[in-house]
Amino acid sequence: ADPEVLATGKALYMQHCATCHGANLEGQPNWKVPDANGVYPAPPHNREGHTWHHPDSVLLAIIAQGGTMPNSGMPAFGDKLNPDEMEAILVYIKSFWGQEELEFQREVTQSMQEQSN
């Protein structure tokens, strides 16, 4: 990844995402279990979570529009971040994934792009 984009992504992640998803992308405890109000805690974005299971288009839409899953507490950032900033955050998140997760996510993203053409 471009070092400048990575640095921008890290700064934006720390400003907008780390409060819920953790400074080390570790997510909140018991992220698979809803709280008393039925809202799921923020998942990890490192390789332990499920972020890498989704194509770029879905991840960017979630950042922009908020969580789409029922009972998600994820707020929308489309009015706070421009598309380049959201992309930079995604680049930063991907820097925490291993080669296996990166390859899987690349294939999912490519497959989604082919389906929409």
Side-chain angles (χ1 to χ4, degrees):
D2 179 302
E4 189 174 320
V5 173
L6 195 56
T8 298
K10 179 179 182 178
L12 290 167
Y13 178 90
M14 292 303 172
Q15 180 181 355
H16 297 285
C17 313
T19 301
C20 295
H21 292 282
N24 296 308
L25 288 78
E26 71 275 13
Q28 294 175 333
N30 300 314
W31 62 275
K32 293 181 181 179
V33 180
D35 66 15
N37 296 320
V39 176
Y40 283 86
H45 287 314
N46 59 23
R47 61 197 318 182
E48 303 301 318
H50 57 75
T51 306
W52 57 272
H53 296 182
H54 304 290
D56 286 354
S57 59
V58 169
L59 297 174
L60 293 168
I62 291 170
I63 294 169
Q65 301 164 14
T68 56
M69 151 183 155
N71 301 326
S72 170
M74 172 75 181
F77 287 91
D79 61 341
K80 295 176 180 78
L81 300 167
N82 67 44
D84 288 341
E85 291 171 326
M86 289 184 258
E87 288 270 358
I89 290 170
L90 189 52
V91 166
Y92 177 68
I93 289 170
K94 288 180 181 185
S95 75
F96 281 74
W97 300 346
Q99 196 58 43
E100 200 173 304
E101 293 83 12
L102 287 167
E103 183 57 36
F104 179 89
Q105 200 270 341
R106 216 178 344 260
E107 289 175 13
V108 169
T109 295
Q110 183 178 0
S111 175
M112 180 69 89
Q113 290 171 342
E114 290 171 358
Q115 289 177 11
S116 56
N117 288 337

